[in-house]
Amino acid sequence: MSSLSRELVFLILQFLDEEKFKETVHKLEQESGFYFNMRYFEEMVTNGEWEEVEKYLSGFTKVDDNRYSMKIFFEIRKQKYLEALDKRDRAKAVEILVKDLKVFAAFNEELFKEITQLLTLENFRENEQLSKYGDTKSARNIMLGELKKLIEANPLFRDKLQFPTLKNSRLRTLINQSLNWQHQLCKNPRPNPDIKTLFVDHSCGGQPNGARAPSPVTNPLMGAVPKPGGFPPLGAHGPFQPAPPSLQTSLAGWMSNPSPVPHPSASAGPIGLAAPNNTAAILKRPRTPPTNNLALDYQTADSEHVLKRTRPFGMSEEVNNLPVNILPVAYAGHSHGQSSYSSDDLPKNFVMALNQGSAVKSMDFHPLQQILLLVGTNMGDIVVWELGSRERIALKNFKVWDLGACSMGLQASLANDYTASVNRVMWSPDGSLFGIAYSKHIVHIYSYHGGDDIKNHLEIEAHVGSVNDLAFSYPNKQLCVVTCGEDRVIKVWDAATGNKQFTFEGHEAPVYSVCPHHKENIQFIFSTATDGKIKAWLYDTMGSRVDYDAPGHSSTTMAYSADGTRLFSCGTNKEGESHLVEWNESEGAVKRRYTGLGKRSVGVVQFDTTKNRFLAAGDEFMVKFWDMDNVSLLTSIDADGGLPASPCIRFNKEGILMAVSTSDNSVKVLANSDGIRLLKTVENRTFDASRAASAAVVKAPSIPNFAAANPNPGTSMGNPAAPLPSMVGMVRQINDSRALADVKPRINEESMEKSRIWKAAEINEQSQCRSLRLPDNLTAMRVARLMYTNSGLAILALASNAVHKLWKWQRNDRTGKATASVAPQLWQPSSGILMTNDISDTNPEEAVPCFALSKNDSYVMSASGGKISLFNMMTFKTMTTFMPPPPAASFLAFHPQDNNIIAIGMEDSSIQIYNVRVDEVKTKLKGHQKRITGLAFSNTLNVLISSGADSQLCVWNTDGWDRQASKFLQIPPGRPTSPVSDTRVQFHVDQTHLLAVHESQIALYEAPKLDCLKQWFPRDANPITHATYSCDSQSIYVSFEDGSVGVLTAPALRLRCRISSAAYLPPNPSLRVYPLVIAAHPTEANQFALGLTDGAVHVLEPLESEGKWGTAPPAENGAGGAPSTSGAAGSEQQAQR
């Protein structure tokens, strides 16, 4: 639709409003989607006209368009549901739950369960989050304020909340002007013409006027207004119009007829909704390719609809972490539109320089650990820098791993010159892999496991000649590597096996860059060549769908904005002319040309995007910045000088740091105020492995079976372009003896020197850490079990008297989660009841307490020697009890895939697999000689590991529940141990390595064979009372009978910090108090809680100025922290405690 046609709709809206056609006005507002009438919307919400509210909204957005839209619909349907409950209309509430709220179950199953649970309450206000819910009128008003903020922040409503400023009766005025003009064209104009109709042109005396002048009424400028959502015919023109007349298939055509290659749904991941499989949403209708100057702005109403319907949903980390609460939450922090950004948000302050040793060719920040920078050079060196400590934590030189497997051409090339330049470095979406494209045939894929633990994963001879670019993508829900090269070919490789999946041929010049992307469920790849041609490919064998010229026929890289809605390209042609442009995908034309680039660039100008707002390019010995919505140069900086003519640049994911290459073979790091704050926070601290990557993914599938995941709509561009998709799933560790062969060869001496001077931190005073004793007015009995809730907002303890205690931190506190800086509330429901286990005839002090929490924190399964109880965590009510002793339960674990399946360890040494729903024991496992003291599921390996008081570990296959392996702990001779000593087990976040805890030792095993990798024994035989992995599995917290706590590095098992009891307990020589249990926060890697013998619970964190518990010991012999294959403790036992 042209802009004039769009304006005509506004004129009609004004006319209808003036003529009092109220219903028609709002119908046209909805159907056109051009103007959202907030006043009308407020009236409907206030009156509770929910069907009309959703119908009106449907003209502007759908539930799954973006996170704001999803939240809008959720709030409306939730309010409708609560009102039905408030009226005691259970039937209506159930209907709303099934028809309206069920759609959110796929997005957040736990939330849906919590909402469903409200049906079981007499009054839904018993729910803590709904306790302040007032009457219907006040609740609607609160929700309306929330909705208005969400609508204003929603980019789909941008420019649709303000009606254009028009003079009264503007349409009538235009018609009158037209009639006057027609009247002037009459041969014999009458002084007072009688206008009887508008259906035909006016003429005086029946003389038609059209013969003398063209009538504007029939001028095609005001064409028909199409209805949104029409299915595009095969000839529709897509994101790029076909240039050659012979090319019949356009991008729209192939989107209308996608190949049978399956694609991931648009909402995979921990949070998301299935996006509608509507190809028409990609391109609304056929348009005549524009013949105007390409520099014109073709952002018409029609293309606005295209953007509206193609906004990907459910993909980014921001969306995956969207909070959906029972009560409306204030959105004061939302930026309304993009105007909240300013040039001060750009990283322009020089903070450090990193000496690279050779010229930088490509850089990429880790997608999760944003102070981790990967750099590739013209000498083939690959370096990983940790910016907080300014340390080079890993170095890889160019080296072919298996020369014998290479082609004769490559072998001959290497025989003449065994060097290669890096053309591209790229992290995988979750940071567990990174890829390197070299100038000679080769692509290397490394697996990254934190710290300096880098392993060789794949070596692919990808192309004949130079491999010019590399990117990651997700066809068939499987992580793939896309490469392009000097041989004019694009190839797609399986990231797990290295098998080639697709080959795309059609370019007539070397392929310069690739940019995988998706629109809804259509996965495709843009490619650019050195002759300035742009092509687009589906993952099939049908050839390219688009053949188009880049501006200036330049070697071009392409990138999407972070939200995936805007496409940019930047390139330089042979004459040195550079072009930075934004594309209008629906028109196949350049929408916006940015000015300010040099006319005689040296090399190809590189660019990047950030924050959905800014563009940056390295040009004329500077870094230049643009606002995406303004073609004029915003600002430029020289980064304190020393930049090459066309520096390589790269933003980190948040846009608060930027890396820039220099002429003296260094990398300068620039930062804004947030970036400076981030670097100061972590400055002078040893890098803590892959905390972010590990913590983000608890359920880690192996490489051959990635979780269903989708590319992030956003793309950040270095040189050349490739996207940073967001995915859920992490690669399991890949053991490769070659992995660390050439890591850090230049810093071994430095590491040895550090090793001589390093010592574990000692914390002996309360001023040296943050500690908090949780408030408690209930009877103090020793804490037998302790855990954080999965949300990190609460701590649950089970005392030896069978009573549970729950401490909750308020969501509006400074941190919004558990912390030692803010005291929580010892929470109880309004009924005042306690969660108390059945104790039957047993002595609670002699019983073995145990409990397990459901994934959504809604239920806790618990036992204290009697029956097993199932409690509702919101009301503390006992839902059911089962399995009366004997034997009594001694350990409980929920199945990770099904909360209805529970593994129950028993005092008689058996393990019962119990289905709660059908109240049935599915099977009974036998293999231990004494009571079960630990259970841990690995959903990657599909095994259950059990441990017993007999110091034995057993592996059970969860498919048939067969025992696969068993092994006894290796207890050194001469070490006294109790005849019945608990052994606990816990999986590393990689779901493969296993922590075993015994009073005599800490041991690491690899499942499922139970190979012992390492052991650690406390000094002076000080018994271990408990231990647990930190949330990122990079540390192990160990508590001892003398009251101290040790922090070990994992997997090296070296003591990095010792915390004495005096650091958290007041001095009391007459009372021996020590921790019985220790629990780690689920997202804060440096926070843990202790349950003590005196009934107290303490939360401990390092000082904010420190940030971590001591510093990690230097890697031994520069080898990093890979698990040792030796089962012996070796020298680890010496001064470790």
Side-chain angles (χ1 to χ4, degrees):
M1 179 185 289
S2 71
S3 58
L4 289 179
S5 298
R6 184 173 187 268
E7 290 180 1
L8 178 59
V9 173
F10 282 108
L11 296 178
I12 295 170
L13 285 171
Q14 184 195 44
F15 170 78
L16 292 173
D17 186 61
E18 291 173 343
E19 296 299 314
K20 309 300 182 186
F21 293 106
K22 296 298 184 184
E23 291 187 11
T24 309
V25 168
H26 302 314
K27 183 69 173 175
L28 180 56
E29 290 168 352
Q30 174 212 326
E31 289 195 338
S32 68
F34 293 158
Y35 172 61
F36 185 83
N37 192 324
M38 186 67 82
R39 182 177 298 177
Y40 174 59
F41 180 75
E42 290 175 8
E43 290 176 3
M44 290 189 292
V45 171
T46 302
N47 296 332
E49 299 169 6
W50 305 123
E51 289 187 13
E52 291 302 315
V53 167
E54 289 210 22
K55 188 176 180 182
Y56 187 68
L57 277 171
S58 68
F60 302 88
T61 184
K62 298 290 187 289
V63 160
D64 54 0
D65 275 344
N66 61 34
R67 66 192 187 102
Y68 301 103
S69 300
M70 186 277 300
K71 181 80 166 136
I72 289 167
F73 281 95
F74 174 77
E75 292 295 336
I76 291 168
R77 296 176 183 182
K78 181 193 70 181
Q79 180 63 28
K80 183 165 60 168
Y81 175 65
L82 295 178
E83 288 184 15
L85 289 176
D86 214 20
K87 294 175 182 176
R88 301 292 195 271
D89 190 346
R90 300 286 168 145
K92 181 67 174 176
V94 170
E95 180 185 351
I96 294 168
L97 188 70
V98 173
K99 291 184 178 180
D100 296 335
L101 290 169
K102 179 72 173 178
V103 67
F104 297 101
F107 168 77
N108 190 327
E109 185 180 357
E110 286 73 18
L111 174 69
F112 181 73
K113 290 179 180 177
E114 193 170 356
I115 294 172
T116 304
Q117 201 175 68
L118 298 178
L119 287 167
T120 66
L121 304 179
E122 189 66 27
N123 185 336
F124 63 77
R125 293 173 180 81
E126 294 177 21
N127 182 292
E128 180 192 9
Q129 297 182 62
L130 292 169
S131 59
K132 296 180 181 179
Y133 184 97
D135 57 16
T136 297
K137 183 178 179 181
S138 62
R140 287 178 184 174
N141 287 335
I142 292 172
M143 180 189 67
L144 183 58
E146 169 80 353
L147 294 179
K148 288 171 70 175
K149 291 178 183 178
L150 288 167
I151 289 169
E152 290 167 1
N154 194 329
L156 296 186
F157 290 83
R158 189 177 301 132
D159 303 326
K160 297 181 182 181
L161 300 177
Q162 293 294 328
F163 198 86
T165 303
L166 303 174
K167 291 183 178 180
N168 291 339
S169 303
R170 179 61 181 161
L171 183 59
R172 288 181 182 274
T173 301
L174 290 174
I175 292 173
N176 285 333
Q177 290 172 348
S178 172
L179 292 171
N180 287 332
W181 178 60
Q182 293 175 40
H183 183 60
Q184 290 172 14
L185 295 177
C186 292
K187 249 183 183 178
N188 301 302
R190 296 173 183 174
N192 295 302
D194 184 17
I195 306 297
K196 294 183 177 180
T197 181
L198 298 176
F199 292 164
V200 295
D201 290 357
H202 162 72
S203 65
C204 293
Q207 174 76 30
N209 302 316
R212 295 184 58 184
S215 167
V217 178
T218 58
N219 191 306
L221 269 178
M222 294 185 179
V225 179
K227 294 185 178 181
F231 200 92
L234 292 179
H237 292 280
F240 297 91
Q241 72 185 66
S246 59
L247 190 62
Q248 299 299 316
T249 54
S250 69
L251 196 53
W254 61 259
M255 284 185 172
S256 300
N257 294 276
S259 73
V261 178
H263 299 283
S265 72
S267 61
I271 296 181
L273 286 172
N277 185 9
N278 178 9
T279 342
I282 308 294
L283 298 160
K284 288 180 68 274
R285 65 185 181 95
R287 292 188 55 81
T288 304
T291 57
N292 311 52
N293 186 334
L294 289 182
L296 293 179
D297 187 341
Y298 286 97
Q299 180 64 28
T300 64
D302 187 30
S303 59
E304 286 181 9
H305 265 291
V306 174
L307 288 181
K308 178 173 98 172
R309 295 301 178 215
T310 59
R311 289 178 188 272
F313 169 75
M315 315 315 309
S316 70
E317 180 183 12
E318 182 179 26
V319 175
N320 283 343
N321 293 323
L322 173 68
V324 182
N325 302 313
I326 294 285
L327 275 180
V329 177
Y331 270 67
H334 279 308
S335 60
H336 296 176
Q338 296 179 334
S339 60
S340 60
Y341 291 120
S342 73
S343 61
D344 293 336
D345 294 311
L346 293 168
K348 296 183 292 185
N349 304 299
F350 170 75
V351 290
M352 70 179 73
L354 309 170
N355 184 22
Q356 200 63 45
S358 49
V360 174
K361 296 285 289 183
S362 179
M363 299 181 289
D364 195 26
F365 280 93
H366 194 284
L368 301 174
Q369 188 70 33
Q370 296 193 51
I371 56 170
L372 196 62
L373 178 65
L374 175 65
V375 182
T377 76
N378 66 340
M379 298 302 293
D381 295 336
I382 305 301
V383 179
V384 181
W385 293 94
E386 200 278 309
L387 302 185
S389 62
R390 308 187 186 194
E391 289 185 0
R392 183 175 60 191
I393 62 173
L395 168 68
K396 293 280 184 180
N397 304 115
F398 174 69
K399 179 182 179 182
V400 176
W401 301 344
D402 188 358
L403 190 60
C406 297
S407 65
M408 295 304 296
L410 176 57
Q411 291 187 39
S413 174
L414 294 174
N416 292 329
D417 180 14
Y418 199 93
T419 61
S421 171
V422 172
N423 285 334
R424 178 67 158 151
V425 297
M426 184 69 163
W427 287 102
S428 68
D430 66 341
S432 61
L433 301 175
F434 63 83
I436 316 296
Y438 289 103
S439 61
K440 289 185 179 178
H441 301 242
I442 291 289
V443 165
H444 279 165
I445 308 294
Y446 292 92
S447 61
Y448 177 67
H449 308 276
D452 56 7
D453 190 2
I454 296 173
K455 294 180 170 63
N456 298 358
H457 175 45
L458 290 174
E459 181 174 71
I460 304 170
E461 187 173 349
H463 296 272
V464 178
S466 175
V467 184
N468 292 333
D469 196 14
L470 168 148
F472 290 92
S473 68
Y474 285 94
N476 302 325
K477 303 181 181 180
Q478 179 116 6
L479 183 66
C480 290
V481 181
V482 183
T483 62
C484 65
E486 191 178 3
D487 55 5
R488 308 178 181 183
V489 175
I490 300 106
K491 297 180 182 180
V492 181
W493 313 85
D494 187 309
T497 63
N499 294 332
K500 184 169 64 179
Q501 296 187 327
F502 299 98
T503 299
F504 301 133
E505 298 178 336
H507 278 289
E508 297 176 358
V511 186
Y512 182 70
S513 70
V514 288
C515 177
H517 196 58
H518 80 287
K519 291 289 185 183
E520 293 188 351
N521 65 334
I522 308 298
Q523 299 271 348
F524 56 93
I525 302 169
F526 284 125
S527 62
T528 71
T530 56
D531 60 359
K533 289 293 184 182
I534 297 174
K535 294 181 183 290
W537 317 79
L538 274 178
Y539 293 88
D540 60 19
T541 58
M542 303 298 291
S544 69
R545 287 356 194 248
V546 156
D547 189 351
Y548 197 69
D549 290 327
H553 297 275
S554 54
S555 295
T556 297
T557 53
M558 307 184 77
Y560 279 87
S561 57
D563 60 7
T565 61
R566 303 175 69 173
L567 176 63
F568 303 90
S569 71
C570 182
T572 306
N573 61 19
K574 295 177 182 177
E575 289 72 38
E577 295 176 342
S578 296
H579 302 267
L580 176 60
V581 302
E582 178 178 6
W583 293 92
N584 187 324
E585 289 183 86
S586 65
E587 300 283 359
V590 172
K591 173 185 174 183
R592 188 176 278 117
R593 291 178 184 271
Y594 298 92
T595 61
L597 287 176
K599 299 299 183 184
R600 289 291 179 266
S601 301
V602 179
V604 178
V605 170
Q606 299 190 33
F607 87 118
D608 203 356
T609 72
T610 187
K611 290 188 175 180
N612 298 322
R613 186 58 188 268
F614 297 115
L615 300 169
D619 182 44
E620 296 185 311
F621 307 95
M622 294 184 292
V623 180
K624 299 178 178 180
F625 298 95
W626 290 262
D627 185 307
M628 288 181 179
D629 297 326
N630 191 327
V631 298
S632 299
L633 185 65
L634 176 64
T635 188
S636 60
I637 58 172
D638 64 1
D640 292 347
L643 303 188
S646 298
C648 174
I649 64 171
R650 190 68 163 172
F651 286 108
N652 75 341
K653 186 175 181 181
E654 296 299 325
I656 62 177
L657 300 174
M658 173 184 271
V660 186
S661 64
T662 69
S663 300
D664 62 355
N665 300 335
S666 294
V667 174
K668 286 190 174 184
V669 179
L670 311 179
N672 64 9
S673 57
D674 290 334
I676 293 171
R677 193 176 303 116
L678 171 66
L679 292 173
K680 283 184 177 178
T681 301
V682 296
E683 198 169 16
N684 298 323
R685 295 181 205 148
T686 302
F687 179 55
D688 194 1
S690 55
R691 178 177 68 172
S694 304
V697 188
V698 176
K699 298 179 181 179
S702 63
I703 287 182
N705 182 25
F706 277 88
N710 290 288
N712 184 318
T715 300
S716 186
M717 182 74 60
N719 176 34
L724 271 173
S726 172
M727 90 173 224
V728 176
M730 183 172 177
V731 229
R732 59 175 293 197
Q733 294 191 1
I734 302 156
N735 293 314
D736 189 328
S737 60
R738 302 168 297 182
L740 298 173
D742 51 1
V743 172
K744 299 203 298 184
R746 303 180 184 178
I747 56 176
N748 281 343
E749 293 180 6
E750 180 184 356
S751 295
M752 292 172 64
E753 184 62 28
K754 286 183 178 179
S755 182
R756 296 188 191 105
I757 62 174
W758 177 89
K759 61 179 293 185
E762 292 279 343
I763 296 179
N764 300 311
E765 299 177 6
Q766 296 188 11
S767 61
Q768 293 179 286
C769 68
R770 289 180 289 162
S771 66
L772 173 70
R773 176 172 175 149
L774 304 191
D776 189 356
N777 55 12
L778 300 178
T779 304
M781 301 290 286
R782 66 182 176 87
V783 180
R785 294 291 181 265
L786 186 72
M787 70 169 65
Y788 284 86
T789 57
N790 296 297
S791 67
L793 281 167
I795 288 178
L796 179 66
L798 174 57
S800 58
N801 62 352
V803 174
H804 299 78
K805 298 177 183 179
L806 180 65
W807 288 271
K808 287 188 178 184
W809 278 260
Q810 296 302 310
R811 291 179 185 270
N812 59 354
D813 279 338
R814 184 163 64 95
T815 62
K817 55 190 169 187
T819 172
S821 302
V822 179
Q825 174 190 4
L826 180 60
W827 194 84
Q828 283 183 275
S830 55
S831 61
I833 64 173
L834 299 174
M835 282 192 292
T836 307
N837 280 333
D838 169 67
I839 55 175
S840 300
D841 298 326
T842 62
N843 180 355
E845 288 292 328
E846 297 176 357
V848 180
C850 54
F851 64 11
L853 192 62
S854 65
K855 288 185 294 185
N856 61 1
D857 295 336
S858 295
Y859 305 99
V860 62
M861 192 84 65
S862 185
S864 295
K867 297 178 183 177
I868 300 173
S869 301
L870 177 65
F871 296 101
N872 183 313
M873 283 281 283
M874 289 190 293
T875 64
F876 282 15
K877 291 181 180 177
T878 304
M879 308 297 289
T880 186
T881 59
F882 55 95
M883 282 199 178
S890 55
F891 205 92
L892 300 167
F894 282 100
H895 193 288
Q897 273 93 34
D898 187 351
N899 268 348
N900 291 301
I901 304 297
I902 310 166
I904 306 173
M906 312 298 284
E907 275 198 322
D908 68 353
S909 78
S910 67
I911 302 166
Q912 300 193 19
I913 307 303
Y914 178 74
N915 189 315
V916 179
R917 179 174 293 170
V918 297
D919 190 21
E920 179 180 69
V921 175
K922 290 295 185 181
T923 188
K924 185 179 288 188
L925 313 178
K926 294 185 177 181
H928 288 274
Q929 282 75 50
K930 295 179 181 178
R931 72 163 183 256
I932 305 301
T933 58
L935 295 169
F937 282 98
S938 168
N939 51 316
T940 297
L941 301 176
N942 293 323
V943 298
L944 169 68
I945 306 286
S946 61
S947 59
D950 53 3
S951 303
Q952 183 183 195
L953 309 179
C954 293
V955 182
W956 312 87
N957 186 302
T958 57
D959 293 329
W961 299 108
D962 300 319
R963 186 166 70 167
Q964 292 184 320
S966 65
K967 189 164 289 189
F968 285 89
L969 290 181
Q970 302 169 10
I971 299 176
R975 272 194 178 264
T977 59
S978 305
V980 178
S981 180
D982 289 357
T983 303
R984 303 290 171 82
V985 285
Q986 181 187 6
F987 270 107
H988 187 284
V989 292
D990 66 8
Q991 297 284 284
T992 301
H993 292 90
L994 183 78
L995 169 67
V997 182
H998 184 266
E999 67 172 21
S1000 68
Q1001 64 184 281
I1002 300 293
L1004 298 180
Y1005 291 84
E1006 185 168 19
K1009 294 183 179 180
L1010 293 182
D1011 295 326
C1012 185
L1013 305 177
K1014 214 170 192 70
Q1015 290 175 287
W1016 181 90
F1017 305 103
R1019 190 177 59 181
D1020 302 328
N1022 182 20
I1024 296 169
T1025 59
H1026 200 235
T1028 182
Y1029 271 126
S1030 61
C1031 64
D1032 58 5
S1033 296
Q1034 299 304 308
S1035 300
I1036 299 172
Y1037 298 117
V1038 188
S1039 58
F1040 300 91
E1041 268 196 17
D1042 66 357
S1044 65
V1045 176
V1047 183
L1048 304 181
T1049 60
L1053 296 189
R1054 298 189 66 189
L1055 188 75
R1056 65 185 292 166
C1057 181
R1058 180 183 180 276
I1059 306 165
S1060 74
S1061 58
Y1064 65 91
L1065 289 176
N1068 189 347
S1070 62
L1071 187 62
R1072 181 170 175 260
V1073 177
Y1074 59 91
L1076 287 170
V1077 282
I1078 189 167
H1081 192 283
T1083 58
E1084 292 294 320
N1086 291 288
Q1087 183 187 138
F1088 61 87
L1090 301 173
L1092 307 183
T1093 52
D1094 67 352
V1097 173
H1098 289 252
V1099 174
L1100 274 73
E1101 291 182 282
L1103 295 175
E1104 289 187 359
S1105 59
E1106 296 294 332
K1108 293 182 181 179
W1109 297 108
T1111 58
E1116 297 172 352
N1117 300 322
S1124 165
T1125 55
S1126 169
S1131 61
E1132 293 297 324
Q1133 182 182 345
Q1134 48 176 345
Q1136 289 294 319
R1137 280 237 338 104

